[in-house]
Amino acid sequence: AQKITQTQPGMFVQEKEAVTLDCTYDTSDPSYGLFWYKQPSSGEMIFLIYQGSYDQQNATEGRYSLNFQKARKSANLVISASQLGDSAMYFCAMREPDNYGQNFVFGPGTRLSVLP
Amino acid sequence: SAVISQKPSRDICQRGTSLTIQCQVDSQVTMMFWYRQQPGQSLTLIATANQGSEATYESGFVIDKFPISRPNLTFSTLTVSNMSPEDSSIYLCSVLDRAYEQYFGPGTRLTVT
C-alpha cells in the first residue's frame, strides 16, 4: 500500500491566488514527521515546511502553511498568493522510525503551474 | 539548516563504467542518505550511510552496484557501478539534522549512454 498519496498529478493556479496541494499518509507509528519539498526544473529539492505528529498547531512558513488533520491522516500544503516562481514539482514526504533509525518515504508529487 | 554540496553536478558516462558522487556537509551529521530520482519519478531511498559502519540498503539496491563510503561525519560517497542507461537519474544526498528535518544537496544529474 502507498504510504504517501498525492492525488493531483498536476494543478493550475492563477497568479496571486491561493492553492492547496493534497497529501494523505499511512502509518501506524504515533511518532512521525511530515514534510513538503519543492523541486524546480533545476532538480534541487527545496525544503518548505515540516509538521511533527505531536505538534498542536499547524506549521506555517511565510506563504506556506500545512493543513494538518491527524485523524484523517492528511497534510495538505497551502500556498497563498501564488507567484510565477512557484511553478515546480511538489513532494509530500513522511519520516517514521524503523529498525535502523529513521525512514523517509516520498509521494509521487504534484506539478504546480502558476498562470500569469 | 546544513549546507550540502555534491560533486559532480552532472556527468555523461558510457555504459559499463563507474561514477563516484561526493557529498560534503558543512557540519557534522549522524545520518546521511542517498536517493535516486529516475526521470519523471519521485525519490527512492537507496541507502542510509552510517559513519563507522556499513551502509543500510533499501530493498532493490545492493552494495555491489551502489557501494557507499562514510569516512567521517561530514562526507560520504556513492558509486554507481557498471552503469547502464537505466541508471540515468538524479542522485541526491541528504542529511538529517537534530530536529529530524531532512535537507538535500543540489543533486547529481547522471546520463548513461
mmCIF file of all heavy atoms in Angstrom, chain B residues 59-106:
data_model
loop_
_atom_site.group_PDB
_atom_site.id
_atom_site.type_symbol
_atom_site.label_atom_id
_atom_site.label_comp_id
_atom_site.label_asym_id
_atom_site.label_seq_id
_atom_site.Cartn_x
_atom_site.Cartn_y
_atom_site.Cartn_z
ATOM 1 N N SER B 59 15.373 -2.190 -0.062
ATOM 2 C CA SER B 59 15.045 -3.302 -0.944
ATOM 3 C C SER B 59 15.230 -2.891 -2.400
ATOM 4 O O SER B 59 14.784 -1.824 -2.810
ATOM 5 C CB SER B 59 13.599 -3.729 -0.689
ATOM 6 O OG SER B 59 13.200 -4.732 -1.597
ATOM 7 N N GLY B 60 15.897 -3.732 -3.159
ATOM 8 C CA GLY B 60 16.125 -3.457 -4.571
ATOM 9 C C GLY B 60 17.467 -2.820 -4.874
ATOM 10 O O GLY B 60 17.820 -2.650 -6.037
ATOM 11 N N PHE B 61 18.207 -2.484 -3.845
ATOM 12 C CA PHE B 61 19.533 -1.867 -4.020
ATOM 13 C C PHE B 61 20.571 -2.709 -3.292
ATOM 14 O O PHE B 61 20.339 -3.141 -2.164
ATOM 15 C CB PHE B 61 19.547 -0.434 -3.473
ATOM 16 C CG PHE B 61 18.606 0.492 -4.196
ATOM 17 C CD1 PHE B 61 17.327 0.739 -3.680
ATOM 18 C CD2 PHE B 61 18.985 1.102 -5.374
ATOM 19 C CE1 PHE B 61 16.466 1.578 -4.340
ATOM 20 C CE2 PHE B 61 18.113 1.953 -6.042
ATOM 21 C CZ PHE B 61 16.850 2.182 -5.527
ATOM 22 N N VAL B 62 21.705 -2.952 -3.953
ATOM 23 C CA VAL B 62 22.733 -3.812 -3.369
ATOM 24 C C VAL B 62 24.075 -3.105 -3.351
ATOM 25 O O VAL B 62 24.363 -2.226 -4.182
ATOM 26 C CB VAL B 62 22.844 -5.157 -4.125
ATOM 27 C CG1 VAL B 62 21.574 -5.970 -3.963
ATOM 28 C CG2 VAL B 62 23.163 -4.931 -5.594
ATOM 29 N N ILE B 63 24.904 -3.549 -2.423
ATOM 30 C CA ILE B 63 26.191 -2.894 -2.202
ATOM 31 C C ILE B 63 27.103 -3.023 -3.410
ATOM 32 O O ILE B 63 27.879 -2.109 -3.700
ATOM 33 C CB ILE B 63 26.857 -3.455 -0.919
ATOM 34 C CG1 ILE B 63 28.109 -2.650 -0.564
ATOM 35 C CG2 ILE B 63 27.173 -4.937 -1.070
ATOM 36 C CD1 ILE B 63 28.687 -3.003 0.794
ATOM 37 N N ASP B 64 27.024 -4.133 -4.137
ATOM 38 C CA ASP B 64 27.915 -4.309 -5.285
ATOM 39 C C ASP B 64 27.635 -3.278 -6.370
ATOM 40 O O ASP B 64 28.538 -2.869 -7.088
ATOM 41 C CB ASP B 64 27.768 -5.720 -5.865
ATOM 42 C CG ASP B 64 28.354 -6.775 -4.944
ATOM 43 O OD1 ASP B 64 29.089 -6.395 -4.003
ATOM 44 O OD2 ASP B 64 28.072 -7.966 -5.143
ATOM 45 N N LYS B 65 26.396 -2.891 -6.501
ATOM 46 C CA LYS B 65 26.008 -1.934 -7.520
ATOM 47 C C LYS B 65 26.179 -0.488 -7.034
ATOM 48 O O LYS B 65 26.564 0.386 -7.797
ATOM 49 C CB LYS B 65 24.538 -2.174 -7.891
ATOM 50 C CG LYS B 65 23.942 -1.174 -8.874
ATOM 51 C CD LYS B 65 24.570 -1.299 -10.267
ATOM 52 C CE LYS B 65 23.853 -0.357 -11.239
ATOM 53 N NZ LYS B 65 24.497 -0.381 -12.577
ATOM 54 N N PHE B 66 25.906 -0.254 -5.765
ATOM 55 C CA PHE B 66 25.947 1.096 -5.202
ATOM 56 C C PHE B 66 26.795 1.132 -3.929
ATOM 57 O O PHE B 66 26.279 1.401 -2.833
ATOM 58 C CB PHE B 66 24.536 1.597 -4.883
ATOM 59 C CG PHE B 66 23.630 1.723 -6.073
ATOM 60 C CD1 PHE B 66 22.677 0.754 -6.335
ATOM 61 C CD2 PHE B 66 23.722 2.818 -6.922
ATOM 62 C CE1 PHE B 66 21.826 0.870 -7.430
ATOM 63 C CE2 PHE B 66 22.879 2.950 -8.017
ATOM 64 C CZ PHE B 66 21.936 1.971 -8.273
ATOM 65 N N PRO B 67 28.092 0.885 -4.025
ATOM 66 C CA PRO B 67 28.916 0.966 -2.814
ATOM 67 C C PRO B 67 28.954 2.378 -2.262
ATOM 68 O O PRO B 67 29.015 3.358 -3.006
ATOM 69 C CB PRO B 67 30.303 0.502 -3.306
ATOM 70 C CG PRO B 67 30.264 0.621 -4.788
ATOM 71 C CD PRO B 67 28.849 0.485 -5.219
ATOM 72 N N ILE B 68 28.897 2.469 -0.948
ATOM 73 C CA ILE B 68 28.843 3.748 -0.247
ATOM 74 C C ILE B 68 29.961 3.799 0.781
ATOM 75 O O ILE B 68 30.235 2.813 1.457
ATOM 76 C CB ILE B 68 27.475 3.921 0.451
ATOM 77 C CG1 ILE B 68 26.381 4.194 -0.580
ATOM 78 C CG2 ILE B 68 27.509 5.039 1.491
ATOM 79 C CD1 ILE B 68 24.975 4.142 -0.006
ATOM 80 N N SER B 69 30.598 4.957 0.875
ATOM 81 C CA SER B 69 31.560 5.165 1.956
ATOM 82 C C SER B 69 31.095 6.314 2.823
ATOM 83 O O SER B 69 30.409 7.234 2.359
ATOM 84 C CB SER B 69 32.958 5.466 1.394
ATOM 85 O OG SER B 69 33.046 6.818 0.954
ATOM 86 N N ARG B 70 31.470 6.248 4.093
ATOM 87 C CA ARG B 70 31.130 7.328 5.041
ATOM 88 C C ARG B 70 32.294 7.431 6.023
ATOM 89 O O ARG B 70 32.220 6.969 7.156
ATOM 90 C CB ARG B 70 29.826 6.990 5.771
ATOM 91 C CG ARG B 70 29.394 8.040 6.765
ATOM 92 C CD ARG B 70 28.636 9.169 6.139
ATOM 93 N NE ARG B 70 28.569 10.321 7.006
ATOM 94 C CZ ARG B 70 27.642 10.525 7.936
ATOM 95 N NH1 ARG B 70 26.679 9.622 8.118
ATOM 96 N NH2 ARG B 70 27.659 11.614 8.652
ATOM 97 N N PRO B 71 33.394 8.034 5.575
ATOM 98 C CA PRO B 71 34.604 8.029 6.409
ATOM 99 C C PRO B 71 34.521 8.924 7.642
ATOM 100 O O PRO B 71 35.249 8.707 8.599
ATOM 101 C CB PRO B 71 35.686 8.539 5.447
ATOM 102 C CG PRO B 71 34.934 9.337 4.430
ATOM 103 C CD PRO B 71 33.615 8.674 4.277
ATOM 104 N N ASN B 72 33.656 9.952 7.602
ATOM 105 C CA ASN B 72 33.526 10.834 8.764
ATOM 106 C C ASN B 72 32.121 11.430 8.777
ATOM 107 O O ASN B 72 31.275 11.074 7.945
ATOM 108 C CB ASN B 72 34.604 11.929 8.737
ATOM 109 C CG ASN B 72 34.574 12.736 7.456
ATOM 110 O OD1 ASN B 72 33.537 13.270 7.074
ATOM 111 N ND2 ASN B 72 35.715 12.831 6.770
ATOM 112 N N LEU B 73 31.882 12.328 9.714
ATOM 113 C CA LEU B 73 30.526 12.843 9.925
ATOM 114 C C LEU B 73 30.150 13.976 8.974
ATOM 115 O O LEU B 73 29.052 14.534 9.093
ATOM 116 C CB LEU B 73 30.381 13.330 11.379
ATOM 117 C CG LEU B 73 30.422 12.228 12.434
ATOM 118 C CD1 LEU B 73 30.388 12.831 13.828
ATOM 119 C CD2 LEU B 73 29.237 11.282 12.263
ATOM 120 N N THR B 74 31.034 14.342 8.047
ATOM 121 C CA THR B 74 30.719 15.429 7.118
ATOM 122 C C THR B 74 30.804 15.004 5.655
ATOM 123 O O THR B 74 30.601 15.835 4.766
ATOM 124 C CB THR B 74 31.673 16.632 7.328
ATOM 125 O OG1 THR B 74 33.012 16.227 7.037
ATOM 126 C CG2 THR B 74 31.582 17.163 8.753
ATOM 127 N N PHE B 75 31.090 13.757 5.364
ATOM 128 C CA PHE B 75 31.390 13.374 3.987
ATOM 129 C C PHE B 75 30.899 11.954 3.694
ATOM 130 O O PHE B 75 30.945 11.072 4.558
ATOM 131 C CB PHE B 75 32.908 13.447 3.758
ATOM 132 C CG PHE B 75 33.339 13.212 2.341
ATOM 133 C CD1 PHE B 75 33.205 14.211 1.384
ATOM 134 C CD2 PHE B 75 33.894 11.998 1.960
ATOM 135 C CE1 PHE B 75 33.612 14.012 0.073
ATOM 136 C CE2 PHE B 75 34.296 11.783 0.652
ATOM 137 C CZ PHE B 75 34.165 12.792 -0.283
ATOM 138 N N SER B 76 30.431 11.763 2.464
ATOM 139 C CA SER B 76 30.033 10.436 2.008
ATOM 140 C C SER B 76 30.194 10.368 0.493
ATOM 141 O O SER B 76 30.163 11.400 -0.192
ATOM 142 C CB SER B 76 28.583 10.149 2.391
ATOM 143 O OG SER B 76 28.176 8.867 1.910
ATOM 144 N N THR B 77 30.403 9.164 -0.006
ATOM 145 C CA THR B 77 30.419 8.958 -1.447
ATOM 146 C C THR B 77 29.479 7.820 -1.814
ATOM 147 O O THR B 77 29.291 6.873 -1.042
ATOM 148 C CB THR B 77 31.823 8.630 -1.988
ATOM 149 O OG1 THR B 77 32.236 7.353 -1.494
ATOM 150 C CG2 THR B 77 32.835 9.685 -1.616
ATOM 151 N N LEU B 78 28.903 7.940 -2.993
ATOM 152 C CA LEU B 78 28.091 6.890 -3.603
ATOM 153 C C LEU B 78 28.710 6.578 -4.952
ATOM 154 O O LEU B 78 28.955 7.491 -5.736
ATOM 155 C CB LEU B 78 26.651 7.355 -3.793
ATOM 156 C CG LEU B 78 25.761 6.452 -4.661
ATOM 157 C CD1 LEU B 78 25.339 5.213 -3.880
ATOM 158 C CD2 LEU B 78 24.519 7.212 -5.148
ATOM 159 N N THR B 79 28.973 5.308 -5.212
ATOM 160 C CA THR B 79 29.472 4.889 -6.516
ATOM 161 C C THR B 79 28.366 4.151 -7.252
ATOM 162 O O THR B 79 27.717 3.268 -6.678
ATOM 163 C CB THR B 79 30.711 3.997 -6.372
ATOM 164 O OG1 THR B 79 31.743 4.739 -5.713
ATOM 165 C CG2 THR B 79 31.217 3.547 -7.735
ATOM 166 N N VAL B 80 28.150 4.528 -8.485
ATOM 167 C CA VAL B 80 27.230 3.800 -9.354
ATOM 168 C C VAL B 80 28.112 2.944 -10.259
ATOM 169 O O VAL B 80 28.881 3.478 -11.078
ATOM 170 C CB VAL B 80 26.341 4.742 -10.175
ATOM 171 C CG1 VAL B 80 25.293 3.955 -10.948
ATOM 172 C CG2 VAL B 80 25.665 5.773 -9.269
ATOM 173 N N SER B 81 28.041 1.633 -10.084
ATOM 174 C CA SER B 81 28.984 0.722 -10.730
ATOM 175 C C SER B 81 28.384 0.089 -11.973
ATOM 176 O O SER B 81 27.162 -0.117 -12.064
ATOM 177 C CB SER B 81 29.386 -0.396 -9.747
ATOM 178 O OG SER B 81 29.919 0.133 -8.566
ATOM 179 N N ASN B 82 29.273 -0.243 -12.912
ATOM 180 C CA ASN B 82 28.863 -0.974 -14.107
ATOM 181 C C ASN B 82 27.560 -0.400 -14.668
ATOM 182 O O ASN B 82 26.554 -1.083 -14.781
ATOM 183 C CB ASN B 82 28.702 -2.459 -13.784
ATOM 184 C CG ASN B 82 28.485 -3.293 -15.036
ATOM 185 O OD1 ASN B 82 28.865 -2.900 -16.139
ATOM 186 N ND2 ASN B 82 27.852 -4.440 -14.865
ATOM 187 N N MET B 83 27.614 0.871 -15.020
ATOM 188 C CA MET B 83 26.411 1.609 -15.363
ATOM 189 C C MET B 83 25.752 1.132 -16.646
ATOM 190 O O MET B 83 26.419 0.699 -17.596
ATOM 191 C CB MET B 83 26.744 3.100 -15.465
ATOM 192 C CG MET B 83 26.985 3.749 -14.115
ATOM 193 S SD MET B 83 27.277 5.503 -14.232
ATOM 194 C CE MET B 83 28.959 5.524 -14.829
ATOM 195 N N SER B 84 24.435 1.254 -16.649
ATOM 196 C CA SER B 84 23.628 1.000 -17.836
ATOM 197 C C SER B 84 22.717 2.215 -18.030
ATOM 198 O O SER B 84 22.575 3.034 -17.116
ATOM 199 C CB SER B 84 22.794 -0.272 -17.658
ATOM 200 O OG SER B 84 21.839 -0.082 -16.645
ATOM 201 N N PRO B 85 22.096 2.351 -19.197
ATOM 202 C CA PRO B 85 21.214 3.510 -19.418
ATOM 203 C C PRO B 85 20.106 3.632 -18.369
ATOM 204 O O PRO B 85 19.651 4.747 -18.082
ATOM 205 C CB PRO B 85 20.636 3.243 -20.817
ATOM 206 C CG PRO B 85 21.716 2.476 -21.512
ATOM 207 C CD PRO B 85 22.315 1.596 -20.449
ATOM 208 N N GLU B 86 19.700 2.509 -17.761
ATOM 209 C CA GLU B 86 18.650 2.548 -16.733
ATOM 210 C C GLU B 86 19.106 3.273 -15.476
ATOM 211 O O GLU B 86 18.295 3.617 -14.615
ATOM 212 C CB GLU B 86 18.209 1.134 -16.367
ATOM 213 C CG GLU B 86 17.458 0.378 -17.470
ATOM 214 C CD GLU B 86 18.353 -0.029 -18.616
ATOM 215 O OE1 GLU B 86 19.543 -0.361 -18.379
ATOM 216 O OE2 GLU B 86 17.880 0.010 -19.779
ATOM 217 N N ASP B 87 20.397 3.474 -15.332
ATOM 218 C CA ASP B 87 20.925 4.201 -14.168
ATOM 219 C C ASP B 87 20.872 5.716 -14.363
ATOM 220 O O ASP B 87 21.206 6.473 -13.441
ATOM 221 C CB ASP B 87 22.378 3.781 -13.897
ATOM 222 C CG ASP B 87 22.489 2.336 -13.449
ATOM 223 O OD1 ASP B 87 21.618 1.889 -12.666
ATOM 224 O OD2 ASP B 87 23.430 1.650 -13.887
ATOM 225 N N SER B 88 20.462 6.154 -15.531
ATOM 226 C CA SER B 88 20.330 7.599 -15.776
ATOM 227 C C SER B 88 19.274 8.166 -14.830
ATOM 228 O O SER B 88 18.104 7.783 -14.880
ATOM 229 C CB SER B 88 19.938 7.855 -17.228
ATOM 230 O OG SER B 88 20.939 7.398 -18.112
ATOM 231 N N SER B 89 19.698 9.045 -13.946
ATOM 232 C CA SER B 89 18.830 9.571 -12.898
ATOM 233 C C SER B 89 19.486 10.803 -12.294
ATOM 234 O O SER B 89 20.638 11.117 -12.599
ATOM 235 C CB SER B 89 18.640 8.546 -11.758
ATOM 236 O OG SER B 89 18.018 7.380 -12.189
ATOM 237 N N ILE B 90 18.738 11.435 -11.408
ATOM 238 C CA ILE B 90 19.350 12.398 -10.491
ATOM 239 C C ILE B 90 19.634 11.659 -9.189
ATOM 240 O O ILE B 90 18.765 10.958 -8.668
ATOM 241 C CB ILE B 90 18.429 13.598 -10.219
ATOM 242 C CG1 ILE B 90 18.136 14.362 -11.513
ATOM 243 C CG2 ILE B 90 19.052 14.538 -9.188
ATOM 244 C CD1 ILE B 90 17.112 15.480 -11.346
ATOM 245 N N TYR B 91 20.844 11.797 -8.692
ATOM 246 C CA TYR B 91 21.221 11.182 -7.421
ATOM 247 C C TYR B 91 21.397 12.304 -6.396
ATOM 248 O O TYR B 91 22.113 13.275 -6.638
ATOM 249 C CB TYR B 91 22.503 10.367 -7.560
ATOM 250 C CG TYR B 91 22.285 9.137 -8.405
ATOM 251 C CD1 TYR B 91 22.384 9.198 -9.794
ATOM 252 C CD2 TYR B 91 21.947 7.913 -7.827
ATOM 253 C CE1 TYR B 91 22.156 8.082 -10.589
ATOM 254 C CE2 TYR B 91 21.717 6.784 -8.612
ATOM 255 C CZ TYR B 91 21.818 6.879 -9.988
ATOM 256 O OH TYR B 91 21.580 5.769 -10.766
ATOM 257 N N LEU B 92 20.706 12.153 -5.282
ATOM 258 C CA LEU B 92 20.722 13.198 -4.261
ATOM 259 C C LEU B 92 21.179 12.638 -2.921
ATOM 260 O O LEU B 92 20.759 11.548 -2.526
ATOM 261 C CB LEU B 92 19.337 13.811 -4.071
ATOM 262 C CG LEU B 92 18.720 14.487 -5.286
ATOM 263 C CD1 LEU B 92 17.506 13.716 -5.773
ATOM 264 C CD2 LEU B 92 18.311 15.914 -4.962
ATOM 265 N N CYS B 93 22.021 13.384 -2.254
ATOM 266 C CA CYS B 93 22.322 13.053 -0.872
ATOM 267 C C CYS B 93 21.538 13.992 0.039
ATOM 268 O O CYS B 93 21.159 15.095 -0.379
ATOM 269 C CB CYS B 93 23.813 13.115 -0.575
ATOM 270 S SG CYS B 93 24.523 14.764 -0.545
ATOM 271 N N SER B 94 21.279 13.533 1.217
ATOM 272 C CA SER B 94 20.546 14.356 2.173
ATOM 273 C C SER B 94 21.074 14.070 3.578
ATOM 274 O O SER B 94 21.742 13.064 3.813
ATOM 275 C CB SER B 94 19.045 14.076 2.115
ATOM 276 O OG SER B 94 18.752 12.804 2.665
ATOM 277 N N VAL B 95 20.767 14.991 4.480
ATOM 278 C CA VAL B 95 21.166 14.810 5.870
ATOM 279 C C VAL B 95 19.976 15.085 6.758
ATOM 280 O O VAL B 95 19.036 15.789 6.375
ATOM 281 C CB VAL B 95 22.331 15.748 6.266
ATOM 282 C CG1 VAL B 95 23.519 15.533 5.345
ATOM 283 C CG2 VAL B 95 21.904 17.209 6.249
ATOM 284 N N LEU B 96 20.054 14.513 7.931
ATOM 285 C CA LEU B 96 19.023 14.703 8.937
ATOM 286 C C LEU B 96 19.614 15.549 10.045
ATOM 287 O O LEU B 96 20.648 15.190 10.605
ATOM 288 C CB LEU B 96 18.607 13.341 9.475
ATOM 289 C CG LEU B 96 17.263 13.183 10.146
ATOM 290 C CD1 LEU B 96 16.156 13.538 9.192
ATOM 291 C CD2 LEU B 96 17.107 11.771 10.645
ATOM 292 N N ASP B 97 18.962 16.667 10.355
ATOM 293 C CA ASP B 97 19.520 17.494 11.428
ATOM 294 C C ASP B 97 18.927 17.056 12.766
ATOM 295 O O ASP B 97 18.178 16.082 12.851
ATOM 296 C CB ASP B 97 19.293 18.981 11.134
ATOM 297 C CG ASP B 97 17.839 19.409 11.290
ATOM 298 O OD1 ASP B 97 16.988 18.583 11.678
ATOM 299 O OD2 ASP B 97 17.550 20.578 11.025
ATOM 300 N N ARG B 98 19.278 17.778 13.817
ATOM 301 C CA ARG B 98 18.886 17.352 15.158
ATOM 302 C C ARG B 98 17.382 17.423 15.370
ATOM 303 O O ARG B 98 16.844 16.781 16.255
ATOM 304 C CB ARG B 98 19.600 18.227 16.190
ATOM 305 C CG ARG B 98 21.084 17.995 16.209
ATOM 306 C CD ARG B 98 21.791 18.956 17.135
ATOM 307 N NE ARG B 98 23.233 18.804 17.049
ATOM 308 C CZ ARG B 98 24.103 19.619 17.619
ATOM 309 N NH1 ARG B 98 23.678 20.645 18.333
ATOM 310 N NH2 ARG B 98 25.390 19.422 17.485
ATOM 311 N N ALA B 99 16.711 18.248 14.583
ATOM 312 C CA ALA B 99 15.255 18.344 14.685
ATOM 313 C C ALA B 99 14.574 17.331 13.788
ATOM 314 O O ALA B 99 13.365 17.414 13.566
ATOM 315 C CB ALA B 99 14.801 19.756 14.314
ATOM 316 N N TYR B 100 15.339 16.373 13.274
ATOM 317 C CA TYR B 100 14.817 15.368 12.353
ATOM 318 C C TYR B 100 14.259 15.990 11.084
ATOM 319 O O TYR B 100 13.365 15.416 10.460
ATOM 320 C CB TYR B 100 13.757 14.485 13.030
ATOM 321 C CG TYR B 100 14.347 13.540 14.039
ATOM 322 C CD1 TYR B 100 14.048 13.684 15.390
ATOM 323 C CD2 TYR B 100 15.210 12.520 13.653
ATOM 324 C CE1 TYR B 100 14.588 12.825 16.320
ATOM 325 C CE2 TYR B 100 15.756 11.660 14.576
ATOM 326 C CZ TYR B 100 15.446 11.819 15.913
ATOM 327 O OH TYR B 100 15.989 10.970 16.829
ATOM 328 N N GLU B 101 14.767 17.129 10.701
ATOM 329 C CA GLU B 101 14.401 17.703 9.418
ATOM 330 C C GLU B 101 15.453 17.298 8.398
ATOM 331 O O GLU B 101 16.647 17.253 8.700
ATOM 332 C CB GLU B 101 14.295 19.225 9.528
ATOM 333 C CG GLU B 101 13.148 19.653 10.435
ATOM 334 C CD GLU B 101 12.990 21.154 10.495
ATOM 335 O OE1 GLU B 101 13.774 21.881 9.880
ATOM 336 O OE2 GLU B 101 12.051 21.597 11.186
ATOM 337 N N GLN B 102 15.011 17.000 7.200
ATOM 338 C CA GLN B 102 15.888 16.479 6.166
ATOM 339 C C GLN B 102 16.151 17.542 5.110
ATOM 340 O O GLN B 102 15.218 18.140 4.588
ATOM 341 C CB GLN B 102 15.264 15.233 5.522
ATOM 342 C CG GLN B 102 16.133 14.600 4.453
ATOM 343 C CD GLN B 102 15.557 13.331 3.882
ATOM 344 O OE1 GLN B 102 16.278 12.406 3.516
ATOM 345 N NE2 GLN B 102 14.244 13.257 3.783
ATOM 346 N N TYR B 103 17.436 17.746 4.815
ATOM 347 C CA TYR B 103 17.851 18.705 3.800
ATOM 348 C C TYR B 103 18.655 17.993 2.726
ATOM 349 O O TYR B 103 19.415 17.070 3.025
ATOM 350 C CB TYR B 103 18.679 19.832 4.431
ATOM 351 C CG TYR B 103 17.873 20.658 5.399
ATOM 352 C CD1 TYR B 103 17.840 20.340 6.753
ATOM 353 C CD2 TYR B 103 17.111 21.731 4.953
ATOM 354 C CE1 TYR B 103 17.078 21.084 7.639
ATOM 355 C CE2 TYR B 103 16.354 22.485 5.843
ATOM 356 C CZ TYR B 103 16.346 22.149 7.181
ATOM 357 O OH TYR B 103 15.598 22.884 8.052
ATOM 358 N N PHE B 104 18.510 18.477 1.494
ATOM 359 C CA PHE B 104 19.106 17.818 0.352
ATOM 360 C C PHE B 104 20.244 18.622 -0.249
ATOM 361 O O PHE B 104 20.254 19.863 -0.202
ATOM 362 C CB PHE B 104 18.051 17.599 -0.736
ATOM 363 C CG PHE B 104 17.096 16.490 -0.433
ATOM 364 C CD1 PHE B 104 15.983 16.711 0.349
ATOM 365 C CD2 PHE B 104 17.333 15.216 -0.912
ATOM 366 C CE1 PHE B 104 15.104 15.685 0.649
ATOM 367 C CE2 PHE B 104 16.458 14.180 -0.630
ATOM 368 C CZ PHE B 104 15.346 14.415 0.153
ATOM 369 N N GLY B 105 21.174 17.892 -0.847
ATOM 370 C CA GLY B 105 22.168 18.512 -1.693
ATOM 371 C C GLY B 105 21.560 18.874 -3.031
ATOM 372 O O GLY B 105 20.398 18.537 -3.310
ATOM 373 N N PRO B 106 22.329 19.551 -3.888
ATOM 374 C CA PRO B 106 21.789 20.022 -5.172
ATOM 375 C C PRO B 106 21.575 18.911 -6.194
ATOM 376 O O PRO B 106 20.945 19.135 -7.211
ATOM 377 C CB PRO B 106 22.847 21.015 -5.651
ATOM 378 C CG PRO B 106 24.107 20.559 -4.992
ATOM 379 C CD PRO B 106 23.700 19.998 -3.662
#
